[in-house]
Structures are given as structure tokens and as C-alpha cells.
Amino acid sequence: MQKFLSLAIRNVFRNKRRTLMTLLVVSGGVAGLLLTGGFFAFMFRGLREQTIRNRLGHLQINNANTFRRDETHALENGLEDYGRIAAIASAEGHVRGVAPRIEFCGMVSNGMKSSGFMGSAVDPESEKNMGFAPRLVAGRDLNEKSDTGNDALLGVGLARSMNAKPGDRLTLLAVTADGALNGIDVDVVGTLTTSVKDLDDRQGRLP
């Protein structure tokens, strides 16, 4: 064994140029693999954090029927006793915060044009306490203490489609829990981006 090891060492130093080139090729390959692995790890970590902070949080509590069947009317599969559920979850020592959210779809209109949108009704103060701050492009975030209470944030793509900017007023139409079509006027207070074009083209946030 010692003889073969000695021959191998002598062979390495016999042709120094060849050995150096081999080391450079191996080193370059290892560096490339490390850089590529680091890039993909960083990309997936960013995607995970973006998903958590934009829509999902670390954990969601849903009605079991959400996963069994589609709703026959709006909010049918919502949580009935949210206050008690939130209190139980908040009592856990490792829970940073609890924030309610209602996801719905509807139509948005500027009086000249209408388009579909995906709405998220949020509690601005709870979301802020949990660090779920939207990435604003223009304007300001939602505020519970708004004068009108009908503030809205739009994705940059939706705002562009509606030709809307902070300070403009739009009309939102959606189906109520009773199955009726209802509409409200909202004041656009800002625009946001999720870095996902499909979401930016359809997303709206309300208090």
C-alpha cells in the first residue's frame, strides 16, 4: 500500500503543469457547484418568505369543509367563532400574532371600465404586528383609523389596468353572504407589488 501511495505522490509532482491544470479544473467545478447551490437555496428561501408574508403566514386555520367541498354561497366555509379561535392560538407561547383574513373575488370599476379582482380583507393592525407589511410602490398602507373606512390597496398591474393612482376612487362589486350583489366605493390609498405578475394584475386589499 505504501508503495502505491509513493508512486501516486511521485506521479503528481512529475508533471506539475498537468497537476496544476487538474487542480484548477476541479476547483472551478467545486466553486461553480457551490455558487449554483447557494443561488438556488437563496431563491427558494426568498420564495418561501415571500409566500409567507404575502398570503399564507406560517400557519393557516381553516374550516374543515374548505378542503372537502366548494362553497355554495359566500363565506359558507368561514370560521364561525373567530374570536375564541384567535384567543386559543394567541395563548400559545411561540405564536407571534394572529390575523384574520377573508379571501373573495369580485369586480372593480372606474366608471369606464370593469375588471375582475381577487380581494383580501385584512386587519391592518394585526397584519402590521405580525410583520406582514406589503411592498408599497406608491401611497401608503391601509389604516384602521381611516376617515372613510373604505381604503383600498391595489396591485400595480390592476391599478395600471384601471388607470388608478392614490387618491382616486373606484367601485367594487362582490356577492354578499346572503347571495346578493353589493357594491361600495373605495379610496385608493396605495399600490403594492408581490413580484408575481399574475397577482399584481388582480390583487386588491381592503380593511
mmCIF file of all heavy atoms in Angstrom, residues 109-110 148 165 167-171 185-188:
data_model
loop_
_atom_site.group_PDB
_atom_site.id
_atom_site.type_symbol
_atom_site.label_atom_id
_atom_site.label_comp_id
_atom_site.label_asym_id
_atom_site.label_seq_id
_atom_site.Cartn_x
_atom_site.Cartn_y
_atom_site.Cartn_z
ATOM 1 N N SER A 109 -64.443 48.670 -10.846
ATOM 2 C CA SER A 109 -64.798 49.550 -11.966
ATOM 3 C C SER A 109 -64.356 50.975 -11.670
ATOM 4 O O SER A 109 -64.426 51.435 -10.524
ATOM 5 C CB SER A 109 -66.316 49.512 -12.213
ATOM 6 O OG SER A 109 -66.689 50.470 -13.179
ATOM 7 N N ASN A 110 -63.917 51.653 -12.709
ATOM 8 C CA ASN A 110 -63.589 53.078 -12.589
ATOM 9 C C ASN A 110 -64.642 53.951 -13.254
ATOM 10 O O ASN A 110 -64.436 55.153 -13.436
ATOM 11 C CB ASN A 110 -62.205 53.367 -13.188
ATOM 12 C CG ASN A 110 -62.121 53.001 -14.670
ATOM 13 O OD1 ASN A 110 -63.116 52.650 -15.310
ATOM 14 N ND2 ASN A 110 -60.922 53.070 -15.223
ATOM 15 N N THR A 148 -62.861 57.399 6.091
ATOM 16 C CA THR A 148 -63.989 56.773 5.404
ATOM 17 C C THR A 148 -64.124 55.302 5.747
ATOM 18 O O THR A 148 -65.218 54.748 5.700
ATOM 19 C CB THR A 148 -63.815 56.897 3.873
ATOM 20 O OG1 THR A 148 -62.637 56.175 3.475
ATOM 21 C CG2 THR A 148 -63.661 58.356 3.463
ATOM 22 N N LYS A 165 -54.638 55.729 -9.384
ATOM 23 C CA LYS A 165 -53.479 56.097 -8.574
ATOM 24 C C LYS A 165 -53.975 56.499 -7.193
ATOM 25 O O LYS A 165 -55.183 56.695 -6.984
ATOM 26 C CB LYS A 165 -52.710 57.241 -9.239
ATOM 27 C CG LYS A 165 -53.510 58.506 -9.429
ATOM 28 C CD LYS A 165 -52.723 59.541 -10.197
ATOM 29 C CE LYS A 165 -53.491 60.848 -10.348
ATOM 30 N NZ LYS A 165 -54.782 60.676 -11.036
ATOM 31 N N GLY A 167 -55.447 58.293 -4.259
ATOM 32 C CA GLY A 167 -56.334 59.454 -4.262
ATOM 33 C C GLY A 167 -57.552 59.269 -5.141
ATOM 34 O O GLY A 167 -58.541 60.004 -5.000
ATOM 35 N N ASP A 168 -57.517 58.290 -6.061
ATOM 36 C CA ASP A 168 -58.660 58.035 -6.939
ATOM 37 C C ASP A 168 -59.702 57.183 -6.213
ATOM 38 O O ASP A 168 -59.416 56.536 -5.203
ATOM 39 C CB ASP A 168 -58.205 57.325 -8.212
ATOM 40 C CG ASP A 168 -57.393 58.227 -9.118
ATOM 41 O OD1 ASP A 168 -57.426 59.456 -8.899
ATOM 42 O OD2 ASP A 168 -56.716 57.710 -10.021
ATOM 43 N N ARG A 169 -60.894 57.166 -6.771
ATOM 44 C CA ARG A 169 -61.995 56.390 -6.187
ATOM 45 C C ARG A 169 -62.481 55.369 -7.216
ATOM 46 O O ARG A 169 -62.663 55.693 -8.391
ATOM 47 C CB ARG A 169 -63.130 57.310 -5.764
ATOM 48 C CG ARG A 169 -64.362 56.581 -5.255
ATOM 49 C CD ARG A 169 -65.294 57.498 -4.492
ATOM 50 N NE ARG A 169 -64.753 57.783 -3.172
ATOM 51 C CZ ARG A 169 -65.471 58.266 -2.173
ATOM 52 N NH1 ARG A 169 -66.749 58.544 -2.350
ATOM 53 N NH2 ARG A 169 -64.920 58.491 -0.997
ATOM 54 N N LEU A 170 -62.687 54.137 -6.745
ATOM 55 C CA LEU A 170 -63.191 53.053 -7.585
ATOM 56 C C LEU A 170 -64.410 52.430 -6.919
ATOM 57 O O LEU A 170 -64.680 52.647 -5.737
ATOM 58 C CB LEU A 170 -62.121 51.980 -7.775
ATOM 59 C CG LEU A 170 -60.802 52.403 -8.444
ATOM 60 C CD1 LEU A 170 -59.821 51.251 -8.426
ATOM 61 C CD2 LEU A 170 -61.043 52.891 -9.860
ATOM 62 N N THR A 171 -65.133 51.631 -7.704
ATOM 63 C CA THR A 171 -66.291 50.903 -7.179
ATOM 64 C C THR A 171 -65.991 49.407 -7.217
ATOM 65 O O THR A 171 -65.549 48.891 -8.245
ATOM 66 C CB THR A 171 -67.552 51.199 -8.007
ATOM 67 O OG1 THR A 171 -67.838 52.600 -7.931
ATOM 68 C CG2 THR A 171 -68.738 50.425 -7.462
ATOM 69 N N ASP A 185 -67.926 52.097 -2.759
ATOM 70 C CA ASP A 185 -66.901 52.972 -3.314
ATOM 71 C C ASP A 185 -65.702 52.955 -2.384
ATOM 72 O O ASP A 185 -65.850 53.053 -1.161
ATOM 73 C CB ASP A 185 -67.425 54.400 -3.456
ATOM 74 C CG ASP A 185 -68.509 54.517 -4.519
ATOM 75 O OD1 ASP A 185 -68.445 53.770 -5.504
ATOM 76 O OD2 ASP A 185 -69.422 55.358 -4.352
ATOM 77 N N VAL A 186 -64.520 52.806 -2.951
ATOM 78 C CA VAL A 186 -63.296 52.757 -2.144
ATOM 79 C C VAL A 186 -62.328 53.841 -2.620
ATOM 80 O O VAL A 186 -62.340 54.239 -3.787
ATOM 81 C CB VAL A 186 -62.611 51.376 -2.230
ATOM 82 C CG1 VAL A 186 -63.495 50.306 -1.629
ATOM 83 C CG2 VAL A 186 -62.229 51.030 -3.659
ATOM 84 N N ASP A 187 -61.527 54.315 -1.681
ATOM 85 C CA ASP A 187 -60.479 55.279 -1.992
ATOM 86 C C ASP A 187 -59.156 54.540 -2.119
ATOM 87 O O ASP A 187 -58.722 53.860 -1.176
ATOM 88 C CB ASP A 187 -60.374 56.336 -0.889
ATOM 89 C CG ASP A 187 -61.647 57.145 -0.747
ATOM 90 O OD1 ASP A 187 -62.144 57.632 -1.778
ATOM 91 O OD2 ASP A 187 -62.152 57.281 0.387
ATOM 92 N N VAL A 188 -58.512 54.647 -3.257
ATOM 93 C CA VAL A 188 -57.214 54.010 -3.474
ATOM 94 C C VAL A 188 -56.160 54.795 -2.690
ATOM 95 O O VAL A 188 -55.946 55.982 -2.946
ATOM 96 C CB VAL A 188 -56.848 53.971 -4.969
ATOM 97 C CG1 VAL A 188 -55.473 53.318 -5.165
ATOM 98 C CG2 VAL A 188 -57.910 53.228 -5.758
#
